[in-house]
Amino acid sequence: MRTKDSRTVLRGLGGSNAPRLPGALAEWNRQYEAGEKPSALKLKKHFNAIRREQFPWTWDVTKNASDQPFLDLGKAFTAFFEGKARRPRFKSKKRSKASFYLANDQFELGDHRVWIPKLGWVNMAEKPRFHGKVIGARVTRTADWWFISITVAIPDERPEKKHTAVGIDVGLNRLATLSTGEGYENQAFLRTALKKLRQANKRLHRRKPGSKNREKARRQVARLHYRIACMREDVLHQLTSRIAPSYGIVGIEDLNIQGLLKNRRLSLSFSDAALGKFLTLLTSKVEQRGGQVIQVGRYFPSSKTCHSCGWRWEDMDLSDRLFLCQNHHCRYHRVAQDRDHNAALNILREALRLIGYSDQAVTGIGSDEDGNLPADAG
Ligand SMILES: [Zn+2]
């Protein structure tokens, strides 16, 4: 959820937390080095004593924006004392994300808007998607946008086991092709965004270091990077959310990241991080519903094999978009099959073989079947 409208006001809020946490860490370090045992409470007292004089602006922001940093710092130091973490460092405006926490009694959600103390109603770019008991919220800033993440408790859904299986080909041409024949296209908008990013990068390097214009250009590049990451993530979420509820068994190639990224066309739509993310999202969403994801070995020739008879087209090239089976006895003999669809069907078959469904049990799974398993399977 992001809010754009009130970001100037919000900057004051988040700012009070992150880069300008008024002297708390310095005071903590002083107490620590003086042999005292600092605590969030002592620190808060110290702060309140000097607040009116030295930090009058903190009265203008919400109570939480100035309370939470002490608690956060307290937590960080507790972890440090217990040997679980490094000693807290001073926050840097460049390195740190500004953020503050609100407990559920300190804000109110409306349709498309949120009420934040001292700020009033702030419009949100998106409605809350989940309904349940609101626990709390954290407001953060990324690439000059403000976000609010709201924690909501929702009852566990009982996973209903699905007796259907699907194979997925992650592709050069299409982002993903399912063994059902459904395809998910690569996104033209991503191409446009990447072009803009290249231009913005060039502009950045033409600007004089340390100048205002350079800072402006730097922020523009950061925002574009962020936007592109969002687009990619959004597509992956949509794709995995559509697949997971429908299939109990999902076969997918062991994504050979290095190999795939050598191909420039693919690396455009898939960064290595995105590929890993795709698999992580898919696995967690499928398993959450009681299903399983099966990875098929990366040397399994999914593209070069006829899914119906197993005939291999050894000379098949990356540019061959159609698979033509040359086996006279095959029912797909010289029938044009979409390359990625054929591959997805092979991946499905191989995945089922790996978990012990023999070929006989799955002969029904062809392009003209819907991938239903025998009733006792799954
Ligand atoms: Zn064939």
Side-chain angles (χ1 to χ4, degrees), residues 306 308-309 325 330:
C306 171
S308 180
C309 70
C325 181
C330 176

PDB file of all heavy atoms in Angstrom, residues 306 308-309 325 330, ligand 1:
ATOM      1  N   CYS A 306       9.334 -35.193 -28.153  1.00  0.00           N
ATOM      2  CA  CYS A 306       7.904 -35.176 -28.439  1.00  0.00           C
ATOM      3  C   CYS A 306       7.173 -35.684 -27.195  1.00  0.00           C
ATOM      4  O   CYS A 306       7.481 -36.763 -26.695  1.00  0.00           O
ATOM      5  CB  CYS A 306       7.573 -36.055 -29.639  1.00  0.00           C
ATOM      6  SG  CYS A 306       5.787 -36.292 -29.882  1.00  0.00           S
ATOM      7  N   SER A 308       4.340 -36.857 -26.843  1.00  0.00           N
ATOM      8  CA  SER A 308       3.426 -37.959 -27.066  1.00  0.00           C
ATOM      9  C   SER A 308       4.157 -39.293 -27.240  1.00  0.00           C
ATOM     10  O   SER A 308       3.788 -40.292 -26.636  1.00  0.00           O
ATOM     11  CB  SER A 308       2.554 -37.666 -28.292  1.00  0.00           C
ATOM     12  OG  SER A 308       1.661 -38.724 -28.514  1.00  0.00           O
ATOM     13  N   CYS A 309       5.243 -39.309 -28.057  1.00  0.00           N
ATOM     14  CA  CYS A 309       5.899 -40.585 -28.331  1.00  0.00           C
ATOM     15  C   CYS A 309       7.336 -40.632 -27.830  1.00  0.00           C
ATOM     16  O   CYS A 309       7.948 -41.693 -27.804  1.00  0.00           O
ATOM     17  CB  CYS A 309       5.889 -40.881 -29.832  1.00  0.00           C
ATOM     18  SG  CYS A 309       6.970 -39.785 -30.779  1.00  0.00           S
ATOM     19  N   CYS A 325       7.086 -33.535 -34.852  1.00  0.00           N
ATOM     20  CA  CYS A 325       7.501 -34.910 -34.591  1.00  0.00           C
ATOM     21  C   CYS A 325       7.658 -35.646 -35.921  1.00  0.00           C
ATOM     22  O   CYS A 325       6.802 -35.568 -36.799  1.00  0.00           O
ATOM     23  CB  CYS A 325       6.468 -35.614 -33.707  1.00  0.00           C
ATOM     24  SG  CYS A 325       6.931 -37.311 -33.320  1.00  0.00           S
ATOM     25  N   CYS A 330       3.484 -41.749 -34.616  1.00  0.00           N
ATOM     26  CA  CYS A 330       3.008 -40.861 -33.559  1.00  0.00           C
ATOM     27  C   CYS A 330       1.756 -40.119 -34.022  1.00  0.00           C
ATOM     28  O   CYS A 330       1.644 -39.718 -35.182  1.00  0.00           O
ATOM     29  CB  CYS A 330       4.108 -39.859 -33.198  1.00  0.00           C
ATOM     30  SG  CYS A 330       3.580 -38.640 -31.992  1.00  0.00           S
TER      31      CYS A 330
HETATM   32 ZN    ZN B   1       5.770 -37.904 -31.450  1.00  0.00          ZN
END
